[in-house]
Amino acid sequence: DLGSGGFLGTFKFHGGTSTQAVSTYLSAFQKFPVVTGDTPAYRGFCFTAPSSVQVYVGNATSIKPMKWEVRRQPNGLSLSTEHQVNTYDANIMCVVYEAMTNTDWGYGVDPADINVTNFSTAATTLHGEGNGFSMLVDRDEDIGQLIRRLEQQADMVIYQNPFTGKWETKLARDDYDIDLVFQLDVDNVVEVVSYTQSTWEDTKNQVSVPFNQRTDEYKGTYGFAQDMAN
C-alpha cells in the first residue's frame, strides 16, 4: 500500500495451442460482435490474463509495465529429472525430440521412428555436463536450422541409422577405444580427392559469446575465454 504498488492476483498463461480455450477473464469483457458475440480464443498466440475478475494493480494513476519470465522444459522422452538442466534450462535432447515429432510446428516424425533409448542416454550425458538449452525462439525459423544449432551446441550429430531406419544421435566425446574403431589409412583408401592442412594461423586464440544474464534482469553480457598458450 506504500508507493505506487504493484500487481496482486492469479494470472494464467495461454500457450497459443490449436486447442486453446477461451480466457474466462477476457470473456467477461470481450465480445465479437460487441455484447452478444463470442470471445476469441486467440489460438496461435501466447498471452497472459488474470484467472479471476478482481486483480489489484496498485495505487498509481496509470498501470505500470508488466514483465514476465516464462519457463518451459519439454519432456517428451519421459525422463525422471534430466529434462531440467541447471534448474532453469531445457535438455537439448528433449528439445530435439519435440522439434522432430511435433505435428504443429515440427517435422512430424513418428515417435516410433526415433531410438528413444539412444536419445535418453544422450540426454543423461548432457544433463551431467550441465549443457542445457535456454533460448527465446520468437520468429519463424526452419526446424532444420534449429536442430543444427542444437547439434552445434551439444557437439553431436543427429542421423538416421541405415540399418534400423531409426533416428539416433552421437555425441562427440572421448568415450571410445581408438583401436576398436574403423580407421582410414594407406591400406584401404583408394584416392584422396582434396585435402587441406591447417596452420597455426587457423586456430583461435580467444572466443567471446554474447548472452543475456538471467540473474541481472536478462541484460546483455559476454562469456569470454582465452588461450594464452597460443
Side-chain angles (χ1 to χ4, degrees):
D1 291 331
L2 299 176
S4 59
F7 297 92
L8 181 63
T10 303
F11 291 80
K12 181 179 179 180
F13 175 74
H14 299 260
T17 64
S18 58
T19 58
Q20 183 163 273
V22 174
S23 164
T24 54
Y25 174 83
L26 294 181
S27 63
F29 305 99
Q30 287 187 349
K31 299 291 183 182
F32 185 81
V34 181
V35 181
T36 59
D38 296 326
T39 302
Y42 296 104
R43 291 170 182 168
F45 292 91
C46 297
F47 69 92
T48 302
S51 58
S52 59
V53 175
Q54 292 184 336
V55 174
Y56 180 75
V57 295
N59 300 320
T61 55
S62 60
I63 298 178
K64 298 295 183 180
M66 294 182 177
K67 290 184 179 180
W68 303 97
E69 181 175 356
V70 181
R71 182 174 76 239
R72 181 170 181 270
Q73 297 163 307
N75 191 19
L77 295 174
S78 300
L79 305 175
S80 55
T81 58
E82 292 88 352
H83 65 289
Q84 297 177 325
V85 181
N86 303 321
T87 305
Y88 300 106
D89 302 327
N91 194 299
I92 293 176
M93 292 312 304
C94 290
V95 179
V96 171
Y97 180 84
E98 182 171 56
M100 294 183 67
T101 59
N102 189 282
T103 56
D104 249 352
W105 54 267
Y107 275 146
V109 174
D110 188 341
D113 292 333
I114 293 179
N115 188 335
V116 174
T117 301
N118 169 265
F119 270 39
S120 299
T121 301
T124 300
T125 299
L126 293 170
H127 177 270
E129 295 174 349
N131 194 342
F133 179 76
S134 186
M135 182 177 291
L136 177 64
V137 182
D138 60 350
R139 59 179 58 90
D140 289 341
E141 180 180 18
D142 180 74
I143 296 300
Q145 293 283 359
L146 173 62
I147 292 179
R148 280 188 286 274
R149 187 189 305 153
L150 294 167
E151 286 179 310
Q152 185 179 35
Q153 178 182 331
D155 199 6
M156 66 178 181
V157 61
I158 306 293
Y159 66 97
Q160 192 170 23
N161 190 315
F163 299 102
T164 65
K166 292 182 179 292
W167 289 96
E168 298 180 355
T169 184
K170 174 60 181 173
L171 300 174
R173 301 294 187 274
D174 185 13
D175 58 355
Y176 58 89
D177 185 343
I178 190 63
D179 295 324
L180 299 179
V181 298
F182 180 74
Q183 299 182 50
L184 299 175
D185 53 33
V186 294
D187 296 324
N188 53 31
V189 174
V190 176
E191 178 186 8
V192 177
V193 178
S194 64
Y195 173 73
T196 302
Q197 176 73 48
S198 298
T199 65
W200 283 109
E201 286 75 14
D202 297 321
T203 61
K204 304 299 182 184
N205 295 320
Q206 60 187 33
V207 176
S208 182
V209 180
F211 71 100
N212 298 99
Q213 180 61 267
R214 177 185 287 122
T215 57
D216 191 17
E217 296 186 351
Y218 294 93
K219 294 177 181 177
T221 185
Y222 290 86
F224 187 74
Q226 192 172 45
D227 183 2
M228 299 300 294
N230 197 16

